[in-house]
């Protein structure tokens, strides 16, 4: 169950020539694929491109009508391998995944694809995840494009430019027999706008047609001596063909005056930030009209030397806006100038920081610094004046606490790590490797469980060096998404084959929850087009792992604790796996809340559990908070002058999972938690019973108050 449904927006994908399409970038990309006659699409979800997979899934019926094959791939490598259909057949194919980690996973398939070359257009849409909004290591897709000789598009972040890039990308791929990467940053994925639509096109050759007339060409097989020929073909034929196409079709753009003593070269994806900085300096208007010449690299690789040198004619200074490190573009442009014997001074890193996201403030400071050096006279007087310099932005890192990510309220993964903390108290600290996914939050306070994370599905493999036996068994944690992505084939076969004596805990929350709640093989939900309800435990037994424990309610902290203790202490040798299953609370709430609200509105009886803390019993030691970390469990100060310490308190965000009480019971903490069932639309009998109880309680309270008064004031 994906976190967003695009069923309504999918109707807009049917718009025809001349109609106006309005929507998000990811919807525009899908529409552009259909207008370009794509024959098959696939991919793997991952921010910031996750919703593109959700759009494709919701549009599956429309894709089928057009003869387009849709595949939700098991991982990025499988998605990239799918593009093999474009090697021998003139079929346009596109896949999408998060970059650069998706590119890392898919690297072997992409390298082979690029070596053999394609006859049909092959487009890899990567969601570039660089900067402060990223959830991964800070890297760029750019170096892989250079290494594998794949062309890299980085269009300006507006819908017409993005749509044109999709169309041009297919044409460029076919013109140069080379796969093309289309890089869309987070702002491009979610930017809204409009463009004039074209008619959707059925592929000229569908995958069904291709199956009826199979083709093969051993010259495209990546084996010696053909692989040596591929390398020469890239340099002598494909690269020149790509450069010619890029120039002939003006894929890169130039804005501003033709003659000026300076200019700016910018990656297409950074164009909006640059224009905004020039606006603030009084050198551009709200429509993008600029007084400074700008060369926009909608194609970030390959760079076209002749085009760049033409832009530099008559200029003394040129600024390169290239986000991230190393400075691939700046270095290449510097090489062009050196070989041409040009005297243009190139600026870039130094004015801009080498690493980090180019936020509005960073962009403004760097552009202003460049203009002050290169042509201070171009700046408006109020900007040049020294007395109007902007105040320095204070360093807030020393005063504002960091806000690390954490588990959602009611998350079924939280009790797993509470149980692990209890076992740690008994058996001591263990070597623990983590994986990619929500459970990685456990490496942060209050749990601080889990260390290294080496890639999606590689958590148990990261413990390979420790799996040979020792005083304590190593522990690895992996999610169900990671298990099906790469974990089964890499981590668990590795454990089984090497007879590991380690422990692996598979956090099964029924979905690929961290990427947006998409179904996986072991999801419990019905899925009309995908195979679900395949137990993880059955897959483990299939590769020879016999010690498997299935827990179907992770909120049972005591059972989780006992099972983890058993895995760490049993005399049985070999891999030991615990499958800890409970549904992702976010997805559960998305499914159940509308049904509950509908039932209440219709007057049907509905029970909703809520939890609270009895302030009179709470000891105030806050151990329950340290073992839970739930956002709804916080502190509250009492009016009682005899109790200085705040007590635990549960706020209105509680979803009634019961983890706080389970933790208190398993850890033998104070019994201050209570459960109250809120009844909506109660029956007549329940109303009468509630009224009777209220009268009894009121009578008892009055009697107690009267007794207190009868004693009178203390002497």
């Amino acid at each position: 169950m994906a976190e967003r449904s695009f069923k309504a927006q999918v109707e807009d994908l049917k718009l025809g020539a001349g109609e106006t399409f309005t929507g998000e970038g990811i919807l525009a990309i899908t529409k552009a694929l259909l207008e370009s006659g794509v024959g098959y699409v696939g991919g793997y979800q991952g921010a910031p491109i996750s919703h593109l997979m959700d759009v494709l899934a919701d549009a599956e019926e429309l894709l089928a009508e057009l003869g387009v094959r849709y595949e939700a791939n098991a991982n990025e490598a499988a998605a990239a391998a799918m593009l093999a259909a474009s090697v021998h057949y003139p079929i346009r194919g596109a896949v999408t995944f998060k970059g650069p980690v998706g590119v890392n996973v898919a690297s072997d398939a992409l390298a082979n694809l690029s070596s053999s070359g394609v006859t049909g257009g092959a487009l890899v849409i990567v969601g570039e995840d660089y900067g402060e909004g990223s959830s991964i290591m800070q890297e760029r897709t750019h170096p892989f494009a250079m290494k594998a000789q794949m062309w890299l598009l980085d269009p300006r972040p507006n819908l017409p430019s993005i749509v044109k890039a999709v169309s041009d990308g297919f044409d460029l791929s076919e013109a140069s027999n080379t796969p093309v990467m289309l890089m869309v940053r987070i702002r491009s994925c979610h930017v809204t706008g409009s463009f004039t639509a074209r008619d959707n096109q059925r592929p000229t050759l569908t995958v069904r047609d291709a199956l009826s007339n199979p083709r093969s060409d051993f010259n495209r097989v990546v084996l010696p001596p053909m692989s040596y020929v591929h390398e020469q073909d890239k340099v002598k034929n494909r690269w020149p063909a790509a450069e010619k196409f890029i120039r002939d079709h003006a894929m890169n753009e130039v804005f501003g005056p033709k003659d000026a003593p300076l200019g700016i070269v910018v990656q297409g994806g950074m164009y909006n930030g640059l224009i905004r900085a020039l606006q603030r300096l009084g050198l551009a208007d709200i429509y993008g009209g600029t007084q400074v010449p700008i060369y926009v690299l909608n194609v970030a690789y390959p760079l076209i030397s002749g085009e760049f040198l033409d832009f530099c004619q008559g200029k003394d200074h040129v600024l390169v806006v290239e986000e991230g490190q190393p400075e691939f573009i700046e270095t290449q442009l510097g090489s062009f100038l050196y070989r041409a014997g040009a005297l243009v001074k190139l600026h870039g890193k130094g004015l801009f920081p080498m690493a980090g996201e180019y936020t509005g403030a960073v962009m403004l400071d760097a552009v202003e610094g460049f203009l002050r050096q290169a042509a201070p006279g171009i700046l408006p007087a109020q900007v040049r004046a020294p007395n109007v310099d902007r105040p320095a932005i204070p360093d807030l890192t020393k005063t504002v606490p960091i806000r690390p990510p954490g588990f959602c309220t009611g998350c079924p993964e939280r009790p797993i790590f509470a149980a692990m903390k209890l076992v740690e108290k008994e058996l001591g600290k263990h070597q623990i490797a983590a994986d990619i996914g929500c459970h990685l939050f456990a490496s942060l306070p209050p749990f601080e469980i889990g260390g290294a994370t080496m890639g999606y599905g590689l958590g148990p493999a990261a413990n390979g060096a420790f799996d040979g036996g020792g005083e304590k068994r190593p522990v690895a944690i992996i999610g169900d998404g990671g298990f099906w992505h790469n974990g089964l084939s890499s981590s668990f076969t590795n454990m089984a084959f090497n007879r590991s004596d380690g422990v692996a805990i598979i956090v099964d929350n029924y979905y690929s929850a961290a990427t947006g709640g998409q179904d996986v093989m072991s999801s419990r939900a019905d899925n009309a087009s995908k195979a679900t309800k395949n137990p993880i435990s059955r897959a483990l037994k299939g590769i020879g792992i016999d010690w498997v424990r299935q827990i179907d309610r992770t909120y049972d902290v005591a059972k989780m604790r006992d099972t983890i203790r058993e895995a760490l202490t049993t005399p049985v040798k070999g891999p030991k796996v615990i499958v800890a299953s409970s549904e992702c609370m976010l997805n559960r709430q998305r499914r159940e809340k509308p049904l509950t609200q509908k039932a209440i509105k219709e007057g049907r009886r509905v029970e909703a559990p809520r939890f609270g803390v009895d302030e009179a019993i709470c000891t105030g030691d806050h151990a329950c908070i340290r073992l839970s970390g739930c956002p709804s469990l916080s502190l509250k100060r009492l009016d009682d002058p005899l109790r200085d310490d705040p007590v635990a308190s549960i706020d209105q965000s509680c979803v009634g999972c019961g983890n706080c009480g389970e933790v208190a019971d398993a850890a033998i903490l104070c019994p201050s938690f209570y459960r109250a069932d809120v009844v909506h639309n109660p029956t007549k009998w329940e109303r009468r019973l509630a009224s009777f109880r209220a009268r009894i309680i009121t009578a008892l309270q009055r009697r107690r108050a009267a007794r207190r008064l009868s004693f009178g004031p203390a002497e």
Side-chain angles (χ1 to χ4, degrees):
M1 180 182 180
E3 65 182 8
R4 274 188 70 183
S5 172
F6 293 89
K7 287 290 186 182
Q9 293 92 330
V10 162
E11 291 300 310
D12 293 337
L13 299 178
K14 300 176 183 178
L15 294 176
E19 297 184 272
T20 300
F21 183 100
T22 302
E24 278 190 85
I26 51 174
L27 287 157
I29 292 171
T30 311
K31 175 60 174 165
L33 292 173
L34 300 181
E35 292 177 353
S36 300
V38 70
Y40 61 96
V41 291
Y44 190 84
Q45 60 275 354
I49 208 73
S50 288
H51 287 329
L52 183 51
M53 287 299 293
D54 298 334
V55 171
L56 292 170
D58 286 340
E60 201 163 357
E61 185 177 334
L62 173 59
L63 297 177
E65 291 175 6
L66 292 169
V68 180
R69 165 66 177 166
Y70 165 65
E71 179 97 353
N73 301 108
N75 54 40
E76 295 87 352
M82 186 181 178
L83 291 172
S86 294
V87 172
H88 296 114
Y89 301 92
I91 307 175
R92 290 185 164 183
V95 297
T96 177
F97 40 73
K98 180 188 184 87
V101 288
V103 175
N104 293 341
V105 173
S107 59
D108 199 16
L110 290 175
N112 278 276
L113 180 74
S114 183
S115 181
S116 63
V118 295
T119 55
L123 196 64
V124 182
I125 304 167
V126 293
E128 189 73 349
D129 196 14
Y130 180 87
E132 294 178 9
S134 174
S135 60
I136 58 167
M137 80 292 283
Q138 294 295 278
E139 288 189 353
R140 298 165 60 191
T141 303
H142 197 111
F144 187 92
M146 297 171 64
K147 185 273 294 183
Q149 288 289 275
M150 297 176 67
W151 318 137
L152 178 64
L153 309 187
D154 186 5
R156 290 190 293 135
N158 62 70
L159 264 55
S161 295
I162 294 169
V163 169
K164 183 177 183 296
V166 172
S167 177
D168 287 347
F170 279 123
D171 291 339
L172 172 61
S173 177
E174 291 168 350
S176 60
N177 302 117
T178 303
V180 170
M181 303 178 82
L182 172 61
M183 185 169 73
V184 284
R185 304 160 192 265
I186 186 169
R187 293 176 180 85
S188 298
C189 291
H190 300 296
V191 68
T192 57
S194 60
F195 65 94
T196 302
R198 297 180 295 156
D199 289 333
N200 295 332
Q201 302 292 325
R202 287 184 63 85
T204 53
L205 179 70
T206 68
V207 289
R208 283 181 172 272
D209 296 334
L211 284 172
S212 301
N213 297 283
R215 303 182 185 185
S216 63
D217 179 2
F218 67 80
N219 288 306
R220 292 196 177 278
V221 177
V222 186
L223 281 174
M226 287 80 74
S227 54
Y228 309 134
V229 177
H230 295 166
E231 181 74 0
Q232 295 299 316
D233 186 39
K234 285 181 181 180
V235 175
K236 295 178 180 178
N237 300 312
R238 298 189 212 167
W239 199 337
E243 289 189 336
K244 182 177 186 305
F245 183 92
I246 293 164
R247 291 206 68 161
D248 290 350
H249 292 80
M251 292 182 69
N252 296 319
E253 300 171 286
V254 177
F255 299 101
K258 181 175 178 60
D259 298 319
L262 76 168
I264 300 177
V265 180
V266 61
Q267 294 169 289
M270 303 303 300
Y271 171 82
N272 287 6
L274 173 62
I275 282 293
R276 176 59 179 150
L278 291 174
Q279 287 174 6
R280 294 179 66 184
L281 293 170
L283 298 173
D285 59 33
I286 61 173
Y287 303 105
T290 169
Q291 299 175 37
V292 178
I294 301 175
Y295 176 39
V296 181
L297 296 175
N298 292 315
V299 182
Y301 184 80
L303 300 174
I304 313 301
S305 61
E307 200 173 74
F308 169 67
L309 293 173
D310 288 346
F311 175 76
C312 290
Q313 284 293 324
K315 296 179 176 59
D316 300 318
H317 299 270
V318 170
L319 174 68
V320 181
V321 183
E322 178 184 6
E323 185 179 60
Q325 53 83 32
E327 64 271 48
F328 301 113
I329 294 174
E330 184 180 340
T331 300
Q332 183 65 67
L333 296 182
S335 175
F336 290 160
L337 292 173
Y338 176 79
R339 292 177 183 180
L343 299 178
V344 177
K345 184 174 182 181
L346 202 64
H347 305 254
K349 301 299 184 184
L351 287 169
F352 281 103
M354 177 63 79
E357 183 177 350
Y358 288 178
T359 61
V362 170
M363 185 75 78
L364 180 62
D365 289 343
V367 172
E368 183 180 340
F370 166 67
L371 295 175
R372 287 185 184 277
Q373 287 186 30
I378 197 175
L379 291 168
Q382 64 270 26
V383 177
R384 293 198 306 269
N387 60 342
V388 295
D389 285 346
R390 295 182 306 279
I393 298 175
D395 182 3
L396 299 180
T397 59
K398 297 179 175 60
T399 56
V400 178
I402 62 171
R403 295 184 61 190
F407 296 110
C408 301
T409 301
C411 177
E413 303 187 15
R414 184 176 285 106
I416 298 173
F417 299 104
M420 291 185 72
K421 291 298 285 186
L422 294 176
V423 173
E424 182 181 300
K425 181 182 177 182
E426 295 179 38
L427 304 179
K429 192 174 180 65
H430 285 68
Q431 159 61 31
I432 300 176
D435 201 89
I436 304 297
C438 298
H439 58 273
L440 189 55
F441 299 153
S443 62
L444 304 172
F447 300 114
E448 299 184 62
I449 290 176
T453 171
M454 301 307 295
Y456 204 19
L458 297 177
N463 264 349
F466 303 103
D467 276 347
E471 182 180 341
K472 293 180 180 179
R473 286 175 174 143
V475 181
I477 305 160
I478 184 173
D480 49 348
F483 178 85
W484 294 114
H485 176 276
N486 193 23
L488 176 61
S489 59
S490 296
S491 286
F492 289 93
T493 53
N494 189 68
M495 290 181 73
F497 185 69
N498 288 289
R499 296 181 179 178
S500 160
D501 194 36
V503 177
I505 300 173
I506 301 175
V507 181
D508 173 23
N509 54 31
Y510 303 3
Y511 309 93
S512 183
T515 62
Q518 294 82 7
D519 281 337
V520 291
M521 288 279 288
S522 52
S523 294
R524 311 290 177 95
D526 293 320
N527 190 311
S529 62
K530 301 292 179 286
T532 53
K533 303 181 180 179
N534 294 284
I536 291 174
S537 56
R538 187 185 300 174
L540 293 168
K541 294 291 181 68
I543 61 170
I545 297 180
D546 296 321
W547 200 103
V548 178
R549 299 291 185 268
Q550 175 72 47
I551 297 177
D552 283 322
R553 183 175 172 271
T554 61
Y555 298 103
D556 189 341
V557 176
K559 185 175 182 180
M560 281 296 318
R561 176 201 59 201
D562 295 345
T563 307
I564 295 170
R565 184 199 299 118
E566 179 191 2
L568 291 171
T569 59
T570 179
V572 177
K573 300 296 182 183
K576 284 156 282 291
V577 182
I578 301 169
V579 183
S581 303
S582 276
E583 184 178 14
C584 167
M585 184 57 73
L586 275 182
N587 268 29
R588 181 178 173 182
Q589 293 293 313
R590 290 187 192 113
R591 188 185 70 255
E592 292 184 351
K593 270 189 174 180
L595 299 176
T596 300
Q597 291 167 357
K598 181 182 177 183
I600 294 172
K601 189 175 181 180
E602 292 174 352
R604 285 183 279 154
R605 182 185 182 280
V606 175
E607 281 190 18
R610 296 301 302 270
F611 287 81
V613 175
D614 190 327
E615 299 168 358
I617 298 176
C618 177
T619 62
D621 69 349
H622 312 147
C624 55
I625 296 176
R626 291 190 294 273
L627 269 174
S628 170
C630 179
S632 68
L633 185 58
S634 57
L635 299 176
K636 175 183 177 182
R637 288 200 174 274
L638 301 177
D639 293 331
D640 188 345
L642 299 180
R643 300 187 66 179
D644 295 332
D645 293 334
V647 297
S649 176
I650 298 177
D651 64 27
Q652 294 300 309
S653 65
C654 173
V655 295
C657 71
N659 179 59
C660 50
E662 294 278 358
V663 166
D665 181 63
I668 316 178
L669 306 178
C670 66
S672 57
F673 291 95
Y674 66 83
R675 168 175 169 163
D677 292 329
V678 179
V679 181
H680 300 271
N681 301 319
T683 63
K684 290 182 180 179
W685 167 249
E686 287 175 321
R687 290 193 189 97
R688 290 173 183 170
L689 182 59
S691 177
F692 175 73
R693 286 172 172 167
R695 288 198 299 269
I696 295 296
I697 292 172
T698 300
L700 292 173
Q701 289 174 334
R702 287 174 178 170
R703 189 176 70 172
R704 183 176 62 179
R707 285 183 175 179
R708 285 178 175 174
L709 289 173
S710 67
F711 287 109
E715 292 292 337

